[in-house]
Amino acid sequence: MSPFWSAFVMALIVLNLGITLFLFLWAPRVHIPTLADGTSGHVWAHGVLREGIRPLPVWWLVLSAAMFVVGFAYLALYPGFGAFKGLLGWTSHDQLARAHAVNDARLAPLTERVRATSIESLAGDRQAMAAGERLFVDNCAPCHGRDARGNQRLGAPNLANGIWLHGGDGATILASIADGRRGGMPSFAGAMPDDAIIDVVNYVESLSGLPHDPLRAQIGKRSFSTCAACHGADAKGNKALGAPDLTDAVWLYGRQHATLVETVRNGRSGVMPAWRGRLSDDEMKLLAGYVHGLSHPAVTQP
Ligand code: HEC
Ligand code: HEC
């Protein structure tokens, strides 16, 4: 706070408290002239109502006096009077830092275990899994769902079925979380006539036993060489590129014919945000352990 604003605040406080304190001390001493009947002489409602004079109630005087005592004590002890720091030296920053320190001390044993344990073994630590679940619900559930079963509107994959776009080992899961991912399915609307797109979609549908037109699938198979660069000649996907397996019954965006056509026509690029910087290293490791544990339940629970 600049000296000017500090002085400004001090002046306001002195003025406000000074005036109210003066009124408080002065008012009971003022003599108010009264008529013989004990009223002030004010008359309302054609003489039906006359204004009497009553002393202030004791409770009101006591409460007001207490308010002044508490007010002055507060300004003396705590920050509030301009730039004056208060006799106790209290600051909200210190209080927050103390609360953090208490929390860190409480979590220290867990943090130490998390640092000493591999991502794959964290599933055996019940407390770590509970902490991981809380982090997941807070940060990941909006896209992947509370139960981690994914969301086909966003192309957010199911993280609990043991089928991976990029890989399901601890280090790869951690990399997905820390650095984020971006799906790179190109649009074929310009590169292929629409008929050919529908043919190749029929071929894709034939791979996992979805309803399809066998003749179109046969024609589509020939154009699949364009797709094989990423999805593999056997269409089983490529984890290095995040290209999904097209032969299983698991779909990022859904298995409806129209959805598949839309994917090939317009491309897809599901975005997994990067969490490095937003979550601590320990938190990301906890999450990786939690996600790994969803499809690799722990053998032993302590
Ligand atoms: C904004 C939505 C969104 C949020 C929030 C989000 N994700 Fe994702 N996540 C995605 C999408 C979309 C993908 C697929 C990316 C791709 O297509 O390559 C993905 C992919 C992943 C993968 C890779 C899965 C695989 O099969 O290889 C992991 C692991 C993952 N997310 C974990 C998390 C965790 C843990 C969190 C919370 C910290 C989180 N995600 C938050 C949307 C999200
Ligand atoms: C440059 C690499 C690349 C090429 C070429 C490519 N794909 Fe893809 N494809 C991807 C990636 C990466 C994804 C995942 C997109 C995402 O995560 O958002 C994907 C997703 C898909 C999906 C959605 C799968 C699901 O689970 O919902 C279909 C269907 C698909 N591709 C079909 C094809 C077909 C058919 C071709 C050829 C005409 C093709 N792809 C060519 C990389 C590629």
Side-chain angles (χ1 to χ4, degrees):
M1 200 186 293
S2 75
F4 169 77
W5 286 115
S6 172
F8 183 72
V9 169
M10 285 176 175
L12 274 185
I13 290 173
V14 168
L15 211 66
N16 268 304
L17 273 180
I19 291 173
T20 39
L21 184 61
F22 168 75
L23 285 175
F24 179 67
L25 296 175
W26 175 70
R29 285 169 180 70
V30 175
H31 175 73
I32 301 168
T34 49
L35 299 182
D37 63 357
T39 67
S40 68
H42 278 167
V43 174
W44 281 290
H46 309 290
V48 178
L49 295 176
R50 286 171 302 143
E51 183 178 304
I53 305 275
R54 288 278 175 93
L56 287 165
V58 175
W59 65 262
W60 189 91
L61 290 170
V62 171
L63 272 186
S64 301
M67 186 204 74
F68 281 110
V69 172
V70 171
F72 286 123
Y74 180 90
L75 287 176
L77 295 174
Y78 290 96
F81 192 52
F84 175 58
K85 292 193 165 38
L87 298 172
L88 292 181
W90 180 92
T91 70
S92 53
H93 289 278
D94 289 348
Q95 179 163 1
L96 182 66
R98 273 195 304 277
H100 271 304
V102 169
N103 202 38
D104 287 349
R106 194 171 55 81
L107 289 177
L110 174 63
T111 309
E112 251 163 59
R113 282 205 313 278
V114 170
R115 288 182 187 166
T117 311
S118 72
I119 291 172
E120 284 85 352
S121 316
L122 277 175
D125 186 326
R126 200 172 279 176
Q127 203 193 348
M129 285 299 98
E133 182 174 11
R134 224 170 303 130
L135 282 168
F136 190 88
V137 169
D138 286 350
N139 298 288
C140 323
C143 291
H144 291 283
R146 213 186 153 85
D147 56 2
R149 301 208 173 264
N151 180 333
Q152 293 189 335
R153 268 184 301 114
L154 301 167
N158 184 332
L159 300 174
N161 59 2
I163 290 171
W164 300 94
L165 268 176
H166 302 277
D169 59 291
T172 308
I173 294 175
L174 183 60
S176 293
I177 296 170
D179 301 316
R181 301 281 188 190
R182 182 176 281 266
M185 165 70 192
S187 152
F188 284 87
M192 269 173 146
D194 216 47
D195 244 15
I197 288 179
I198 297 181
D199 291 341
V200 81
V201 164
N202 272 279
Y203 173 65
V204 168
E205 286 164 335
S206 75
L207 297 171
S208 54
L210 291 174
H212 63 280
D213 176 337
L215 196 66
R216 297 200 82 152
Q218 220 172 5
I219 302 169
K221 183 175 182 181
R222 272 179 256 144
S223 5
F224 194 78
S225 53
T226 333
C227 323
C230 294
H231 291 281
D234 56 1
K236 291 215 174 275
N238 181 339
K239 291 199 170 48
L241 300 168
D245 184 342
L246 301 175
T247 67
D248 58 15
V250 175
W251 298 96
L252 266 176
Y253 294 95
R255 62 195 165 99
Q256 298 75 10
H257 179 77
T259 307
L260 296 172
V261 171
E262 190 190 326
T263 296
V264 180
R265 233 184 237 151
N266 304 329
R268 297 277 187 191
S269 94
V271 174
M272 160 71 183
W275 295 87
R276 196 194 300 284
R278 279 190 278 174
L279 295 174
S280 72
D281 287 353
D282 295 329
E283 288 169 326
M284 291 192 293
K285 187 169 176 185
L286 264 176
L287 275 167
Y290 175 73
V291 169
H292 186 270
L294 291 173
S295 51
H296 303 81
V299 187
T300 51
Q301 290 271 339

